Amino acid sequence: MSLPHALLTALVEHPCSGSELAERFDKSIGYFWHATHQQIYRELARLEEALWIEALPAETGRGRKRQFRLLPAGRKELRRWIAEQHDPTPLRDELMVRLRAEAAIGPTGLDKEIARLMALHQEKLAVYQRIEQRDFVGKELSRERRLQHLVLKAGILQEELSLAISKEALEILEEPLPSPSSRPDPAHKSGA
């Protein structure tokens, strides 16, 4: 995925200013595609150059923000991108590499970092669950809202999976280490 397509997706929903886009990113799309405010503003300029979006005339008065809206060419590009075939994104999770390193050279105190990460995953899960309760549970949902809910459910499942893996990792890391004489010979190691 690319930032331009994330911004086009946000603008297809409704026109807004760069600061409103940045705020929406922080509260929705940003959970799945991170971008700094500076990246968002830079990309808005590129999208405007490509004639995929346009800035609406600024309202009069001091401090008025430029609103951007999607142009037909931007909608066409978004449709083209949605229809493209994409292979699954390979997993890139630093914790998995750290666990492999811990297996090879541990103990390293990785359990403290995992506990910290678990707290962060728990916080994000709680945010997602609050959004789900507020916006989706017990409501009649349109096709659009059901798709939005599906994206949120993917985030919930991802956080639950991260918590489950972290919990199991902590359980393993907290097991007593075997005595040096009972450890397997490193020359005969195997594994994924």
Side-chain angles (χ1 to χ4, degrees):
M1 184 167 121
S2 67
L3 180 55
H5 297 103
L7 291 171
L8 292 173
T9 298
L11 287 172
V12 80
E13 294 171 353
H14 62 80
C16 53
S17 70
S19 62
E20 289 167 333
L21 274 172
E23 188 176 309
R24 287 177 63 202
F25 250 74
D26 290 345
K27 293 180 180 176
S28 63
I29 293 173
Y31 290 125
F32 302 96
W33 187 262
H34 176 73
T36 66
H37 292 198
Q38 184 178 13
Q39 290 170 316
I40 290 170
Y41 283 106
R42 204 171 32 241
E43 199 57 51
L44 284 171
R46 288 188 190 116
L47 293 173
E48 195 171 17
E49 262 181 44
L51 302 176
W52 290 353
I53 66 170
E54 73 175 347
L56 299 171
E59 295 177 18
T60 58
R62 193 177 144 105
R64 297 293 179 182
K65 300 170 186 161
R66 289 188 333 156
Q67 296 275 318
F68 294 92
R69 73 170 177 179
L70 190 68
L71 291 172
R75 185 177 292 272
K76 182 178 178 183
E77 168 56 21
L78 195 53
R79 285 184 177 280
R80 182 206 60 77
W81 175 75
I82 292 168
E84 274 184 352
Q85 290 186 350
H86 292 272
D87 292 335
T89 304
L91 177 64
R92 289 183 57 178
D93 189 333
E94 187 175 313
L95 178 60
M96 298 302 108
V97 178
R98 290 171 141 198
L99 288 169
R100 286 293 298 254
E102 171 77 21
I105 65 167
T108 63
L110 183 58
D111 55 329
K112 292 171 188 62
E113 174 62 3
I114 291 174
R116 185 186 76 80
L117 292 173
M118 282 182 75
L120 294 174
H121 286 298
Q122 190 61 55
E123 285 175 24
K124 191 179 280 187
L125 177 60
V127 167
Y128 290 168
Q129 289 170 332
R130 281 193 302 271
I131 293 169
E132 184 177 42
Q133 286 297 313
R134 180 192 71 207
D135 295 346
F136 300 105
V137 172
K139 296 183 179 173
E140 188 71 26
L141 300 177
S142 65
R143 177 182 182 274
E144 176 185 354
R145 296 293 288 158
R146 287 177 33 230
L147 289 171
Q148 291 169 347
H149 189 204
L150 180 61
V151 171
L152 181 63
K153 287 194 284 189
I156 289 169
L157 289 171
Q158 181 64 46
E159 294 307 319
E160 289 173 343
L161 176 62
S162 294
L163 284 165
I165 290 170
S166 296
K167 181 177 183 269
E168 186 171 345
L170 277 180
E171 289 169 359
I172 294 168
L173 292 172
E174 290 169 354
E175 290 175 0
L177 291 172
S179 64
S181 62
S182 65
R183 290 186 191 157
D185 182 354
H188 293 91
K189 281 188 179 178
S190 65

